[in-house]
Amino acid sequence: MIRTWQLATGAAVVGLALSAGVVTAAGPWDSGQRKAERQWAASQDRTGGGHHGRSASPPPVSPPVSPLAPAPAPSAAGVLSALGTQAVPPAGAGPLAAALRPLLNVPALGTVQTASVVDTATGEQLYGSGAGEAMTPASTVKIATAAAVLSALGPDHRIATTVMAAPGADLKAGTRQIVLVGGGDPTLTARKPGKRGTPASGASLPALADDTARALKGRGIAEVTLAYDTSLYSGPEYHPIGAGNDNIARITPLMADEGRLDDSDAGVAPRTGDPAGDAARAFAGMLRERGIRTTGDPAPGKPAATAKPLAKSLSAPLSALVERMLTNSDNDIAEALARQTALAAGEPASFEGARKAVAAELRELGMDTKRTRFADGSGLNRDDKVSAAFLTGLLVRAADPARPQLRPVLTGLPVAGFTGTLSKRYGDGSPVGGLVRAKTGTLNGVNTLAGTVVDANGRLLAFAFMASGTLGKDAAESALDRLASAVTGVP
């Protein structure tokens, strides 16, 4: 009962703060964003996969309101004034600093510790300690990956996995080759609906096989040769941490269930060494089950220049992929989304192309990237460098009412004591369970935490705490959790 009450209370407080300082359109939640807000954002750019957030400080524009729609949320200024926020003094030299300093400078947080706490409504830094120092962020760099891809493609963009074939008459008379083309969706699943670990929505190989078999039978074709195309990506296929690492699969634009060899859908797991080939072989088997024979084993290949789409399966919206990536700290999705950002920018879909594209997209959001480095999208690479102030700057932009396309950066953050990588932290009885939402980051000797809280004065605050030279994961995480708890002001 205590835990349920905390989550309900936390959700209510966070909802008030979001309506005050973040959300400008009313409507029901859908995949972590308000439907009305998403529809309005989409109406500003009708190109579907268009570029969003091109101005560093776009002027706020009110979405159209139907006479039958709920009244819009009160303005941020009105609600924050009612909460007494305007009367709260800066905390840089006040109670917040007094609470955080002794918690930051502890042995559990290693040899270097940095911090940044910012009021999302005003952008004012309430506390900073080495806030501008570039550090290894570990998985908190996924916040940057998320912001970049949402800005580049928008929250409604979907990634396609496509079956290509020669035009009708040519296909019937010729080699009858079809090509399974990977579009970069690691959430494509080969699992049957209802099976444990099967996503509730998104791209499905069985559904794609249904559509492909139906299209082939409609052309009077019962036998084909199957090839598969992974040419969308370039550069190294293995992350620098090395092949065979259970944290991430071989990086390829065609894979099913992230190349997992068990029935998990998150966390570490043994991976196949040939995710693209395995996905193609699984697809061939599904076609046979549906009455379409395949000759030989699937082999790498490209569609003919005259080929047309025969069938297509789309991922869940980008907003849902971002939320899943952040909640579960999903490395496979992170690397895929970094490459989607590269493709949107006309860069190669590689580590290097993603590095350039992510940095450029974040500059479009008004971020200073001079002292940053995005060596990968997942944070597994120790060469990634960002500062605590950089992370809070991204969170402030995600809370900006003028940038609704970035909202999944906030809604995807794990909830303390309840979801994702924070589900087992802030244990039973914690007074801030449900109040802290934050992305975790963990490498050997590196521990980070960045997210949002609503403080005792009703302010939505963004925070980032970074530590290096840590000696123990558990002790470091507990120390970071105490810091985030202190920001809430809850005793």
Side-chain angles (χ1 to χ4, degrees):
M1 292 298 292
I2 293 176
R3 301 286 286 165
T4 304
W5 174 85
Q6 284 177 313
L7 181 59
T9 303
V13 174
V14 171
L16 176 59
L18 286 174
S19 68
V22 180
V23 180
T24 59
W29 285 100
D30 178 20
S31 186
Q33 251 193 321
R34 293 185 185 273
K35 287 183 179 178
E37 186 179 60
R38 289 177 60 192
Q39 291 166 356
W40 170 69
S43 73
Q44 306 307 299
D45 186 345
R46 296 293 185 182
T47 60
H51 222 281
H52 294 254
R54 276 296 164 219
S55 171
S57 301
V61 180
S62 298
V65 179
S66 164
L68 300 178
S75 68
V79 174
L80 293 176
S81 178
L83 291 172
T85 302
Q86 305 303 321
V88 179
L96 182 59
L100 293 180
R101 282 196 196 100
L103 297 176
L104 187 65
N105 300 311
V106 295
L109 292 180
T111 55
V112 181
Q113 316 89 23
T114 65
S116 175
V117 181
V118 175
D119 186 334
T120 65
T122 65
E124 177 188 3
Q125 182 172 284
L126 305 178
Y127 177 73
S129 177
E133 182 176 350
M135 301 269 287
T136 298
S139 280
T140 54
V141 84
K142 290 183 173 79
I143 293 172
T145 303
V149 74
L150 288 166
S151 177
L153 291 168
D156 296 318
H157 178 78
R158 296 172 185 259
I159 303 170
T161 303
T162 309
V163 176
M164 301 290 289
D170 294 339
L171 178 61
K172 190 169 183 179
T175 61
R176 299 183 180 181
Q177 183 189 67
I178 61 174
V179 183
L180 179 62
V181 181
D185 177 17
T187 67
L188 175 71
T189 183
R191 297 166 183 168
K192 294 180 180 179
K195 184 177 179 181
R196 183 179 182 273
T198 303
S201 63
S204 163
L205 267 183
L208 185 60
D210 286 340
D211 293 342
T212 301
R214 187 180 305 113
L216 290 170
K217 290 177 181 178
R219 298 182 184 188
I221 296 170
E223 184 175 273
V224 295
T225 298
L226 176 64
Y228 59 94
D229 183 4
T230 61
S231 62
L232 185 67
Y233 287 1
S234 59
E237 292 186 341
Y238 290 102
H239 192 280
I241 61 173
N245 192 297
D246 290 351
N247 285 289
I248 190 170
R250 181 178 175 182
I251 302 170
T252 173
L254 177 62
M255 64 171 62
D257 303 300
E258 300 182 337
R260 295 172 180 270
L261 296 176
D262 58 19
D263 62 358
S264 66
D265 62 356
V268 298
R271 311 300 182 104
T272 176
D274 184 16
D278 283 0
R281 286 184 283 274
F283 186 65
M286 294 173 191
L287 289 178
R288 289 192 292 271
E289 291 172 356
R290 290 155 176 79
I292 301 296
R293 298 185 300 276
T294 57
T295 59
D297 291 330
K302 292 185 179 182
T306 57
K308 303 291 183 184
L310 185 70
K312 182 182 295 185
S313 187
L314 298 176
S315 72
L318 199 57
S319 58
L321 299 188
V322 163
E323 289 175 339
R324 177 174 165 181
M325 173 189 70
L326 293 171
T327 299
N328 297 328
S329 199
D330 193 300
N331 298 314
D332 300 279
I333 296 178
E335 296 301 341
L337 295 186
R339 283 157 180 74
Q340 291 294 314
T341 304
L343 292 169
E347 295 284 354
S350 63
F351 284 110
E352 181 62 17
R355 180 189 67 80
K356 293 178 180 178
V358 168
E361 195 62 44
L362 297 181
R363 285 193 292 272
E364 292 286 349
L365 290 174
M367 300 296 297
D368 182 354
T369 62
K370 289 187 180 68
R371 288 180 287 181
T372 64
R373 178 173 171 78
F374 304 103
D376 66 3
S378 60
L380 290 171
N381 196 321
R382 292 175 180 274
D383 289 338
D384 290 324
K385 298 296 176 186
V386 301
S387 66
F390 191 88
L391 291 173
T392 53
L394 288 172
L395 293 167
V396 167
R397 283 158 176 77
D400 184 349
R403 294 186 172 99
Q405 73 274 16
L406 300 184
R407 203 71 70 244
V409 174
L410 299 185
T411 56
L413 295 173
V415 179
F418 290 93
T419 64
T421 55
L422 285 184
S423 61
K424 295 181 180 179
R425 291 164 65 168
Y426 301 87
D428 290 342
S430 170
V432 299
L435 297 180
V436 174
R437 302 193 67 153
K439 181 70 200 75
T440 56
T442 307
L443 293 171
N444 288 335
V446 173
N447 295 90
T448 58
L449 191 68
T452 62
V453 301
V454 176
D455 75 355
N457 296 298
R459 297 178 296 184
L460 181 66
L461 306 183
F463 67 85
F465 301 112
M466 310 181 76
S468 68
T470 56
L471 298 178
K473 172 179 175 290
D474 293 342
E477 288 179 349
S478 295
L480 292 172
D481 293 347
R482 285 191 290 272
L483 283 162
S485 299
V487 178
T488 70
V490 176

